[in-house]
Amino acid sequence: MTNSAFPGLDAYLDSESGPVERALERAIVTLEQCEAPIEPEVLSAIRHGVMSGGKRLRPILFASAYQACGAEAKEASYDLAASLEMIHAYSLMHDDLPCMDDAALRRGRATTHRVHGEDVTIRAGAALIPAAALQALDASGRLGCEQARCLTIVRTLMAAAGAGGMVGGQWVDLLGEGLALGTEDLDALHRMKTGALLTASLEMAALAADADSDTRDALRTYGQAIGLAFQIADDVLDATASAETLGKNPSDAVLDKSTYVALYGLEEALRRARYQVDIAVSALKAAGIESPALVALGRHVVERRK
Ligand code: GRG
């Protein structure tokens, strides 16, 4: 498996974010043209929550893994990638609600509920979940996946988003506020809350590209390791970066959350994050996956500034 000349991470992110943004725009137009019309204010809230910048890490990981498996990027592959971002966007919209993290700022602007209201934001976020499942099913079919594989792809996305993944992790996170969680509990929480969807990005790509089981296993290992690295880096950024840089208000201390920084201190937390990236990169290498993009994205997960 090879990857053609890598242009460097910044140029690569620029080149991949265009097709991702266009796929998200198509997804929103699909919702706007839905047979049973969605209320205009709900559509505006969906647009606010989805088309609001963001690093687009999950769909870009998907696109990179898909191409690392030897498949050719096309409109439908970005539509499948976008289904991950739709789940991610809904989770941020709901995470910011007063009953959860009660945040005013996200991606450098007012959170969706501060602009559109809580009731509308709840409906907008909820509408994105089945929309993402339908989008994943449709895009997998357009990529030529047979029915069983289409269903496995959708199952992978929904399982990662669900009670055994992101929703479950969020629940444990909310219950854990004010408690001092140890390493094992914190790892378990974040493998669900953050890691599950990041890992699904890689697994869905392997499935869509019909990769062999060694490649799939390696991409899953890569996803799990960078998922943990991502969260450690997130804790470091929350403790060290400004709201202006992050586009959101640092909140771990305010919400009395357990963090890797509290457990290990900044330096050791970063060392552990980098170690996870090494695990991720080694898994690629051992499986013969030659992808400068995935290697660079893995390192970026820890070295990013926001
Ligand atoms: C009902 C319990 C319950 C849950 C509903 C709200 C929710 C589902 C889940 C929240 C999951 C969550 C907030 C995970 C955080 C993941 C995370 C670190 C987000 C930040 O991701 P980035 O940095 O953000 O990729 P951008 O803005 O770049 O996309």
Side-chain angles (χ1 to χ4, degrees), residues 53-58 85 88 90-96 100-101 106-107 161 166-168 170-172 174 193-194 198 230-231 234 248 304 306:
K55 296 182 284 297
R56 309 309 197 194
L57 180 62
R58 292 144 194 86
E85 185 70 17
H88 174 59
Y90 120 74
S91 82
L92 300 183
M93 290 156 77
H94 280 193
D95 185 47
D96 291 335
M100 297 211 196
D101 280 4
R106 168 75 68 183
R107 294 173 168 172
M166 186 182 76
V167 167
Q170 173 78 349
W171 182 240
V172 176
L174 292 171
K193 180 180 150 181
T194 313
L198 285 166
F230 181 93
Q231 186 58 51
D234 219 60
K248 60 184 178 183
R304 67 198 163 98
K306 62 176 186 172

Side-chain angles (χ1 to χ4, degrees), residues 134-262:
L134 292 171
Q135 163 115 350
L137 186 64
D138 176 68
S140 310
R142 283 163 50 224
L143 284 174
C145 301
E146 65 281 10
Q147 199 178 41
R149 202 143 46 91
C150 291
L151 294 180
T152 308
I153 289 170
V154 178
R155 172 184 282 273
T156 303
L157 178 62
M158 290 294 103
M166 186 182 76
V167 167
Q170 173 78 349
W171 182 240
V172 176
D173 193 20
L174 292 171
L175 293 178
E177 282 173 13
L179 304 178
L181 302 183
T183 305
E184 235 171 78
D185 287 337
L186 205 54
D187 282 358
L189 184 174
H190 289 303
R191 279 190 202 286
M192 292 168 77
K193 180 180 150 181
T194 313
L197 196 60
L198 285 166
T199 306
S201 312
L202 284 305
E203 288 203 79
M204 285 166 62
L207 283 162
D210 207 11
D212 60 41
S213 62
D214 285 351
T215 304
R216 269 176 65 181
D217 289 349
L219 287 172
R220 185 184 308 114
T221 302
Y222 169 95
Q224 288 166 343
I226 66 152
L228 210 48
F230 181 93
Q231 186 58 51
I232 299 173
D234 219 60
D235 288 359
V236 169
L237 287 170
D238 194 272
T240 56
S242 66
E244 201 182 10
T245 309
L246 290 177
K248 60 184 178 183
N249 291 308
S251 60
D252 289 342
V254 180
L255 297 170
D256 201 7
K257 298 217 185 209
S258 298
T259 69
Y260 289 103
V261 173

Side-chain angles (χ1 to χ4, degrees), residues 251-298:
S251 60
D252 289 342
V254 180
L255 297 170
D256 201 7
K257 298 217 185 209
S258 298
T259 69
Y260 289 103
V261 173
L263 267 183
Y264 306 127
L266 278 174
E267 225 168 277
E268 174 62 11
L270 270 173
R271 194 193 65 74
R272 285 175 180 247
R274 291 184 181 125
Y275 176 65
Q276 289 299 323
V277 176
D278 290 343
I279 292 175
V281 170
S282 301
L284 298 181
K285 202 169 169 208
I289 303 170
E290 210 179 291
S291 171
L294 287 176
V295 172
L297 284 166

